[in-house]
Amino acid sequence: MIGALRYVLSGGAPLAVETLREAEAEAAFGVPVREAYGLSESCGPVCFNPMDGPSRPGTVGRPLEGVEFRIVTPEGVEVPERDTETPGELRIHRPVVMSGYLGLPEAGAAAFDDDGWLRTGDLARRDEEGYYRIVGRLKDINIRNGYNVYPREVEEALYENEEIAEVAVVGVPDEHYGEEIAAFVVRTPGSSLSEDDVKEFAKARVAAYKYPRTVTFIDALPKGATGKILKRELRS
């Protein structure tokens, strides 16, 4: 059946660029892998990397026809389309966005901003071609010494290391900096990767305040029934 496969669609959780490239290789699926984005409150996917156009690994593509996106900073300021650097909460407007949660009017009201746009809780950037990159969850943003650190950016950098099978980056309490950056790493079989190796690898790829100060090696990352990494368990 794999010979009849035309493409693979990925959603539900961020897909590491290195994993995407491995999946597209002839030794794996051997077909294009497209990352998409959606949520239950939007009644399914709202953003795709195009099947008949250029794909941008690391992004979730462009909004579908009829779907509008906004990026809004924590201060409530909408990020202009020309700004490709500033991240913010992704907000969605489309005809099939939910009207609320059944029996939970307060929670439903809190899910929308004053203009009626759905607050996704996801942090995103938009590039010059209108492709969106999810950089983390609003609740997962790490603030180290006043600087915002987006876990996915650090994770993507670490995934470039062939001796790292899986990684999760979280913020942990720190008396001096408020939060410190911690990485939980699953090594590939046979790897002798050390804590210093991971730190130096990250230092060469991200800003000085972003690299993990602590590295913990574990056999497997905690995951829920759908395969999503349970970062709350790593913080405890």
Side-chain angles (χ1 to χ4, degrees):
M1 288 298 295
I2 197 167
L5 194 64
R6 295 172 55 195
Y7 60 84
V8 173
L9 185 64
S10 175
L15 178 65
V17 173
E18 290 303 310
T19 301
L20 183 150
R21 289 171 176 157
E22 290 173 7
E24 287 186 329
E26 290 297 328
F29 294 114
V31 298
V33 175
R34 296 292 189 259
E35 193 170 2
Y37 172 82
L39 55 162
S40 299
E41 291 84 350
S42 68
C43 299
V46 289
C47 195
F48 277 93
N49 268 283
M51 303 300 172
D52 56 354
S55 174
R56 294 202 173 187
T59 78
V60 292
R62 294 168 168 167
L64 297 178
E65 185 176 355
V67 179
E68 297 177 83
F69 278 8
R70 281 180 179 173
I71 294 178
V72 181
T73 68
E75 295 76 29
V77 178
E78 184 174 353
V79 178
E81 289 190 9
R82 64 180 181 277
D83 185 343
T84 61
E85 298 297 327
T86 304
E89 183 185 27
L90 182 62
R91 300 186 184 180
I92 300 174
H93 189 270
R94 68 175 294 186
V96 295
V97 163
M98 71 166 193
S99 58
Y101 298 109
L102 183 63
L104 299 170
E106 292 183 2
F112 293 88
D113 64 20
D114 294 339
D115 295 326
W117 289 60
L118 177 68
R119 304 186 60 168
T120 67
D122 290 312
L123 292 164
R125 288 192 183 97
R126 177 180 45 230
D127 70 16
E128 65 280 357
E129 297 296 329
Y131 287 72
Y132 285 76
R133 182 183 302 271
I134 306 299
V135 298
R137 289 285 293 168
L138 190 61
K139 64 181 180 181
D140 289 338
I141 188 173
N142 308 141
I143 303 177
R144 181 184 186 274
N145 199 30
Y147 290 95
N148 292 341
V149 179
Y150 302 96
R152 189 176 181 187
E153 180 183 359
V154 183
E155 291 164 355
E156 286 286 358
L158 290 173
Y159 268 121
E160 294 178 17
N161 190 313
E162 295 181 354
E163 294 188 64
I164 294 178
E166 287 190 300
V167 60
V169 172
V170 300
V172 295
D174 183 84
E175 291 185 2
H176 185 70
Y177 292 109
E179 276 190 305
E180 196 51 277
I181 310 304
F184 291 81
V185 175
V186 179
R187 287 178 284 208
T188 57
S191 170
S192 59
L193 199 67
S194 69
E195 181 175 353
D196 286 341
D197 291 335
V198 174
K199 290 179 181 179
E200 292 303 317
F201 191 86
K203 279 183 184 180
R205 289 162 177 79
V206 298
Y209 64 90
K210 296 180 181 179
Y211 80 87
R213 265 53 177 188
T214 64
V215 177
T216 303
F217 294 105
I218 55 179
D219 293 331
L221 296 176
K223 296 176 182 176
T226 61
K228 290 186 178 181
I229 297 171
L230 302 177
K231 290 191 174 182
R232 62 179 180 273
E233 294 190 10
L234 297 174
R235 297 189 187 96
S236 60

